[in-house]
Amino acid sequence: MMIRIRSRDGLERVSIENPNITISQLKTLIQNQLQIPIHNQTLSTNQNLLLAKSPPDLLQFTDMSNPSTPLSSLNISHGSIIFLAYEGQRTIAGPAVHPAGSFGRKMTMDDLIAKQMRVTRQENPHCDSVSFDRDCANAFQHYVSETLAFAVKRGGLMYGTVSEEGKVEVNFIYELPQQGTEDILMLLRDSDEEKLVEAIAAGLGMRRVGFIFTQSITQDNKDYTLSNREVLQAAELHAESGLKEWVTAVVKLDVNEDGGADVHFEAFQMSDMCIRLFKEGWFETEIREDADPKLSIMKKDVVVGSKDVKEVDNDFFLVVVKILDHVGPLSSTFPIENRIAQVQMRALRSHLDRAKNLPFVKRISDFHLLLFLAKFLDLNSDVPALAECVLAQTAVPEGYQLLIESMANTS
């Protein structure tokens, strides 16, 4: 059978003839096939192993510390992923080197540039962590889980704050117009609507901090973290943002030990090298149908390790980010924009009635409600004024209350 090994070098495979081997025997196979000495290996089924920063951190992962434990007792079977941390350096095998230079052909300027374009792994993200407001994260995943059943891809732009220490907090998700299939997420950007979103965010003291998307259930059995299409889309939005702490989050279904499915969030930053390559036009953006989704194709050779290659494992571009959660200042109970069912005016009446015992400012402390209202208000005066009331949790001026109530009563 085949076991997938994910380490700082990406995803690799180890072939196993006997499925009943022990952890000790697996380590021997890893040493023989991946050239990592047994004494340097730390194995775990927990992906957080890859976030360990020091030897004491590694000691916390004990599920595969007993060398005599059989793999079968850990529910490890064909295609399973095991996470590997190791010390030291190694050379990773790659395609054959194409000779260039004094003894082959004449080197061109492109050759010289390619020689210096080294794709290396970035160990540390620019953001310390990303924390999701529980309500907004749940509203997003509940829709893709219950309504879309993870059959097609879905995405959104994340808004929140960035602290001086690089901690990113996500307080709402704007679901822009889009069309999703099993493998492709097409974002249909609406510049007018995005201006309203930006005005609301500014009034709330927030900004755009990242991109979130789902992988469809058909992607669950693929041996990649992000596909080449997803890398391109994430890199484009990251590059557009100009924010060094920008976060890319992925929501997927994972099969649990009981055979059921759990919704799982992962967070990354696209590496500095990935963004540089994207901005400078190195990525091949036309992806063939028969292309391997776990590899990004370059227009010219780049150097990975000691090899000149045009195909780069997508994992080289990903920097893992720690995920936290918090209770933010906004609710996420108002119907969300750009979904299958269009938001009607009667939703405003229902929302206000449900929260009638709360102060008016609390009743409108919902980004999706503010966006709905903004389409009927002045972008330069009304929208910032309402958002600032929500930010400070101060009383909403009576004129705005009457206007919003009258809008609700027209339904």
Side-chain angles (χ1 to χ4, degrees):
M1 67 181 188
M2 180 272 292
I3 298 291
R4 294 179 284 178
I5 306 293
R6 186 179 297 285
S7 71
R8 69 192 192 203
D9 302 316
L11 198 65
E12 299 173 271
R13 298 172 179 78
V14 169
S15 299
I16 297 173
E17 293 185 5
N18 178 8
N20 298 314
I21 64 170
T22 63
I23 290 172
S24 174
Q25 291 169 314
L26 173 62
K27 286 189 171 185
T28 300
L29 290 173
I30 291 174
Q31 175 177 266
N32 294 341
Q33 296 182 34
L34 303 184
Q35 289 74 53
I36 301 174
I38 292 173
H39 64 273
N40 282 348
Q41 299 176 26
T42 301
L43 300 177
S44 177
T45 56
N46 186 339
Q47 67 173 359
N48 289 329
L49 174 70
L50 300 184
L51 294 173
K53 302 292 186 186
S54 64
D57 292 342
L58 295 175
L59 296 177
Q60 299 176 27
F61 300 89
T62 59
D63 59 319
M64 296 185 71
S65 60
N66 185 342
S68 60
T69 300
L71 296 189
S72 55
S73 69
L74 299 173
N75 293 321
I76 295 171
S77 58
H78 177 73
S80 293
I81 295 180
I82 294 174
F83 299 91
L84 163 67
Y86 72 91
E87 296 178 358
Q89 303 294 325
R90 68 178 176 126
T91 300
I92 304 170
V97 177
H98 301 294
S102 308
F103 296 99
R105 53 192 175 80
K106 200 172 187 179
M107 290 192 78
T108 66
M109 186 56 68
D110 280 349
D111 295 329
L112 290 170
I113 294 172
K115 284 294 178 188
Q116 297 169 11
M117 188 59 80
R118 293 186 170 273
V119 178
T120 55
R121 188 170 299 281
Q122 183 176 322
E123 297 295 335
N124 299 309
H126 292 294
C127 68
D128 177 80
S129 60
V130 58
S131 182
F132 288 90
D133 170 75
R134 294 172 192 168
D135 286 344
C136 87
N138 186 60
F140 183 75
Q141 69 87 13
H142 187 267
Y143 179 67
V144 297
S145 176
E146 299 300 320
T147 303
L148 302 181
F150 280 93
V152 296
K153 296 167 72 67
R154 182 81 183 165
L157 297 173
M158 304 190 295
Y159 284 77
T161 59
V162 182
S163 73
E164 290 183 2
E165 300 79 27
K167 298 179 188 294
V168 175
E169 281 199 355
V170 176
N171 288 317
F172 70 83
I173 297 170
Y174 161 56
E175 297 183 22
L176 59 174
Q178 59 196 272
Q179 187 172 341
T181 68
E182 291 180 354
D183 300 306
I184 298 173
L185 175 61
M186 186 183 299
L187 302 179
L188 309 173
R189 307 285 292 269
D190 181 336
S191 60
D192 291 336
E193 189 170 82
E194 286 187 33
K195 285 177 185 174
L196 298 178
V197 176
E198 293 297 325
I200 294 168
L204 293 171
M206 300 179 196
R207 62 164 299 163
R208 193 179 297 181
V209 295
F211 172 51
I212 186 170
F213 67 92
T214 64
Q215 290 184 334
S216 65
I217 198 165
T218 58
Q219 295 177 274
D220 183 50
N221 58 359
K222 307 289 177 64
D223 59 347
Y224 56 77
T225 308
L226 263 63
S227 72
N228 43 23
R229 293 183 189 276
E230 291 165 348
V231 166
L232 278 172
Q233 192 166 47
E236 180 178 9
L237 290 166
H238 188 146
E240 176 191 308
S241 76
L243 178 67
K244 75 176 190 299
E245 296 91 353
W246 181 270
V247 176
T248 297
V250 188
V251 185
K252 59 176 72 174
L253 274 184
D254 276 348
V255 178
N256 60 32
E257 295 177 354
D258 301 323
D262 293 327
V263 178
H264 182 64
F265 280 68
E266 293 181 2
F268 306 94
Q269 281 202 291
M270 309 311 291
S271 70
D272 296 343
M273 176 56 71
C274 176
I275 301 306
R276 178 185 170 188
L277 289 169
F278 179 82
K279 286 182 174 179
E280 295 182 7
W282 286 70
F283 280 93
E284 187 64 67
T285 55
E286 295 296 324
I287 299 174
R288 303 190 316 272
E289 286 190 14
D290 61 345
D292 187 338
K294 69 174 177 291
L295 300 174
S296 289
I297 312 301
M298 301 291 116
K299 293 179 180 176
K300 296 177 288 188
D301 282 352
V302 295
V303 180
V304 178
S306 59
K307 308 293 185 183
D308 289 357
V309 298
K310 278 190 176 176
E311 297 181 341
V312 181
D313 190 313
N314 299 333
D315 282 357
F316 267 92
F317 298 131
L318 304 180
V319 190
V320 178
V321 175
K322 179 171 59 178
I323 292 182
L324 306 170
D325 67 348
H326 67 278
V327 177
L330 304 173
S331 67
S332 290
T333 55
F334 190 78
I336 293 173
E337 62 282 346
N338 301 315
R339 289 186 171 178
I340 294 172
Q342 190 172 356
V343 183
Q344 304 290 339
M345 190 63 79
R346 61 176 174 271
L348 179 60
R349 177 76 275 158
S350 299
H351 180 88
L352 294 177
D353 286 346
R354 277 199 308 272
K356 60 186 175 184
N357 296 325
L358 297 175
F360 196 82
V361 69
K362 274 285 185 192
R363 296 163 77 186
I364 66 166
S365 294
D366 185 306
F367 160 73
H368 307 289
L369 180 146
L370 291 173
L371 179 57
F372 180 76
L373 293 176
K375 295 175 181 179
F376 304 94
L377 301 175
D378 183 78
L379 173 63
N380 298 313
S381 58
D382 300 339
V383 173
L386 276 179
E388 285 165 17
C389 288
V390 172
L391 172 64
Q393 288 294 290
T394 53
V396 177
E398 186 178 5
Y400 283 126
Q401 290 195 38
L402 291 173
L403 176 61
I404 294 169
E405 289 281 6
S406 67
M407 289 170 60
N409 291 328
T410 60
S411 58

